[in-house]
Amino acid sequence: MDFIQLTKRQLEIMDIVKAEQPITSEHIAEKINLTRATLRPDLTILTMIGILEARPKVGYFYSGKSLLSVMGSFIKNMSVMEVKSKPVIVSEENTVYDSIVTMFLEDTGNIYVQNKGYLSGIVSRKDFIKVTLGNHDIKNLPVAMIMTRMPNIVYVESNESVYDAAVKIIHHEIDSLPVVEKIVLDDKSENMKIIGKISKTTITKVMVRIGNE
Amino acid sequence: MDFIQLTKRQLEIMDIVKAEQPITSEHIAEKINLTRATLRPDLTILTMIGILEARPKVGYFYSGKSLLSVMGSFIKNMSVMEVKSKPVIVSEENTVYDSIVTMFLEDTGNIYVQNKGYLSGIVSRKDFIKVTLGNHDIKNLPVAMIMTRMPNIVYVESNESVYDAAVKIIHHEIDSLPVVEKIVLDDKSENMKIIGKISKTTITKVMVRIGNE
């Protein structure tokens, strides 16, 4: 817990409350042989940063909560734009075979498919296994035949957070999300430009980055 | 930043320092029309929890650091045992075809392979795509023929953290790690019992959990 530069005495108080909660300030003071007045600033700080919780007439409780809330708000404020990776994109006419080769060369789990410069589909390793199991002529089969299409594509936009992305990935049981910019054309149709990718790998990298700090 | 129950005034100070760092307490006091004495407790608290950094004769700096360190130490203290998921396991004699069916039924990216109750290999979706592309009789080919074997399997043990697991996944560019318990047999050979699995999905779920708090 030294990250918030708690003093030795504050750490001691924390440990006492953790072990004996609920405990009044009188009892804490007794235990470390100091007056309540001396302890007051420490208790105030520990309560303010959320490590302790004070309940009138009951005493102090230990609450690890604040740490998690700090992290929660951090992830909710980290934009997908800060961490997005480079997507691998092919066009609809690409054959399944060529797309598989691309998948291996780029070592990616999902390939995004474009039509006229806009997102039209996603293919996954699972799609590739299914089609290679069947007796298809994958060297002539366009990838558009096996891809997942709009409106079944789950995506994120630039104003969404890493947390939003993680929630979508888990909720929809998918491996990655294209980061898109919506563009309304003259004919009022809405199209999506692919500007990045957030995958479980991206999220795992964020975890490593957080741990490295 | 309400997670640490900062007061409105503390938030105001934080914003001022963020925008004008380095800034002295005199200048902060001026900006919000209060005396330095009134501000002192706020500045103390903000410095203690690491949101501000005070440098003598220079002034206050804004430091987002503490938040990251809080998170870093949290992830480093979260054991893989707390978050591990249930692995999908087949035996070496299982055919490739049956293993693929298992992969689809269980919707998993990696299957762990056992021999006599101990971990002997891992197969991934990539392995399955490669073998189905080749002209193999996958209904008669044992999965042991295409799996990655020891000592090329990266794993974690029960005393490792979620952070350790994330680092291994990114460093080795893999999708999951078996959580193992090492067992030394009478003949001194070391074997590994599979007791769980940590995947990028697990890590992404941890991220969602943190954000939900």
Side-chain angles (χ1 to χ4, degrees), chain A residues 90-104 111 113 122-148, chain B residues 129 132-133:
Chain A
V90 300
S91 71
E92 289 198 353
E93 302 74 37
N94 231 51
T95 66
V96 168
Y97 182 82
D98 287 344
S99 305
I100 292 177
V101 171
T102 302
M103 189 213 80
F104 274 101
I111 291 180
V113 185
I122 294 189
V123 252
S124 69
R125 289 185 186 161
K126 263 161 84 179
D127 297 324
F128 288 140
I129 297 175
K130 269 186 221 160
V131 72
T132 49
L133 271 183
N135 249 337
H136 300 285
D137 178 12
I138 61 169
K139 289 196 179 175
N140 287 307
L141 189 68
V143 72
M145 297 295 289
I146 66 160
M147 71 189 188
T148 300
Chain B
I129 297 175
T132 49
L133 272 182

Side-chain angles (χ1 to χ4, degrees), chain B residues 17-141:
Chain B
V17 177
K18 211 169 171 178
E20 324 221 350
Q21 56 186 329
I23 180 169
T24 61
S25 56
E26 285 91 338
H27 280 108
I28 302 174
E30 252 169 50
K31 288 212 164 253
I32 49 182
N33 248 331
L34 289 169
T35 65
R36 276 180 69 191
T38 316
L39 285 190
R40 187 148 312 131
D42 292 323
L43 286 169
T44 306
I45 282 173
L46 288 170
T47 309
M48 279 215 56
I49 61 182
I51 289 179
L52 300 188
E53 229 178 282
R55 278 186 227 156
K57 298 192 186 163
V58 185
Y60 287 91
F61 287 84
Y62 174 80
S63 132
K65 257 193 203 170
S66 65
L67 303 187
L68 276 174
S69 338
V70 171
M71 295 171 68
S73 86
F74 182 85
I75 298 167
K76 283 177 182 161
N77 283 314
M78 184 185 264
S79 161
V80 290
M81 298 301 278
E82 274 179 64
V83 300
K84 68 180 166 58
S85 62
K86 215 173 146 272
V88 176
I89 304 176
V90 299
S91 72
E92 289 197 354
E93 302 75 37
N94 231 52
T95 66
V96 168
Y97 181 82
D98 287 344
S99 305
I100 292 177
V101 171
T102 302
M103 189 213 81
F104 273 101
L105 288 177
E106 306 273 352
D107 197 18
T108 184
N110 284 162
I111 290 179
Y112 300 155
V113 185
Q114 273 189 169
N115 184 15
K116 292 173 191 146
Y118 297 113
L119 176 66
S120 65
I122 294 189
V123 252
S124 68
R125 290 186 187 161
K126 265 161 83 178
D127 297 324
F128 288 140
I129 297 175
K130 269 187 222 160
V131 73
T132 49
L133 272 182
N135 249 339
H136 300 286
D137 178 11
I138 60 170
K139 289 198 179 174
N140 287 307
L141 189 67

Side-chain angles (χ1 to χ4, degrees), chain A residues 21-35:
Chain A
Q21 57 185 329
I23 181 170
T24 61
S25 55
E26 285 92 338
H27 280 108
I28 302 174
E30 253 170 48
K31 289 212 163 251
I32 47 182
N33 247 332
L34 289 168
T35 66

Side-chain angles (χ1 to χ4, degrees), chain A:
Chain A
M1 291 261 204
D2 54 83
F3 44 86
I4 36 172
Q5 284 127 12
L6 292 183
T7 63
K8 243 182 128 170
R9 191 199 288 159
Q10 285 161 357
L11 287 172
E12 201 181 340
I13 295 173
M14 209 181 76
D15 286 341
I16 290 172
V17 178
K18 211 169 170 176
E20 324 221 350
Q21 57 185 329
I23 181 170
T24 61
S25 55
E26 285 92 338
H27 280 108
I28 302 174
E30 253 170 48
K31 289 212 163 251
I32 47 182
N33 247 332
L34 289 168
T35 66
R36 275 179 72 192
T38 316
L39 284 191
R40 186 148 315 131
D42 292 323
L43 286 170
T44 305
I45 283 174
L46 288 170
T47 309
M48 279 216 54
I49 61 182
I51 289 179
L52 300 189
E53 228 178 282
R55 279 187 225 158
K57 297 193 184 161
V58 185
Y60 287 92
F61 287 83
Y62 174 80
S63 133
K65 260 193 200 170
S66 65
L67 303 187
L68 275 175
S69 336
V70 172
M71 295 171 68
S73 87
F74 181 85
I75 298 167
K76 283 178 181 161
N77 283 314
M78 184 185 263
S79 161
V80 290
M81 297 302 278
E82 274 180 64
V83 299
K84 68 180 166 57
S85 63
K86 214 173 147 275
V88 176
I89 303 175
V90 300
S91 71
E92 289 198 353
E93 302 74 37
N94 231 51
T95 66
V96 168
Y97 182 82
D98 287 344
S99 305
I100 292 177
V101 171
T102 302
M103 189 213 80
F104 274 101
L105 287 176
E106 306 273 351
D107 197 17
T108 183
N110 285 162
I111 291 180
Y112 300 154
V113 185
Q114 273 190 168
N115 185 16
K116 294 173 189 146
Y118 298 114
L119 176 65
S120 66
I122 294 189
V123 252
S124 69
R125 289 185 186 161
K126 263 161 84 179
D127 297 324
F128 288 140
I129 297 175
K130 269 186 221 160
V131 72
T132 49
L133 271 183
N135 249 337
H136 300 285
D137 178 12
I138 61 169
K139 289 196 179 175
N140 287 307
L141 189 68
V143 72
M145 297 295 289
I146 66 160
M147 71 189 188
T148 300
R149 296 178 169 276
M150 289 301 292
N152 298 319
I153 300 174
V154 188
Y155 55 85
V156 279
E157 291 179 80
S158 62
N159 60 346
E160 294 188 70
S161 71
V162 170
Y163 169 75
D164 296 330
V167 168
K168 286 185 185 180
I169 286 174
I170 296 303
H171 179 74
H172 296 281
E173 300 185 354
I174 49 184
D175 285 327
S176 84
L177 301 160
V179 183
V180 303
E181 194 188 321
K182 283 189 183 163
I183 291 174
V184 178
L185 300 183
D186 290 343
D187 64 359
K188 301 270 188 299
S189 68
E190 202 182 62
N191 287 275
M192 295 197 283
K193 242 184 97 178
I194 308 169
I195 56 175
K197 173 184 174 180
I198 301 283
S199 65
K200 289 180 197 169
T201 309
T202 321
I203 308 270
T204 307
K205 280 183 182 161
V206 169
M207 199 68 113
V208 170
R209 204 170 110 187
I210 290 169
N212 285 343
E213 291 289 336

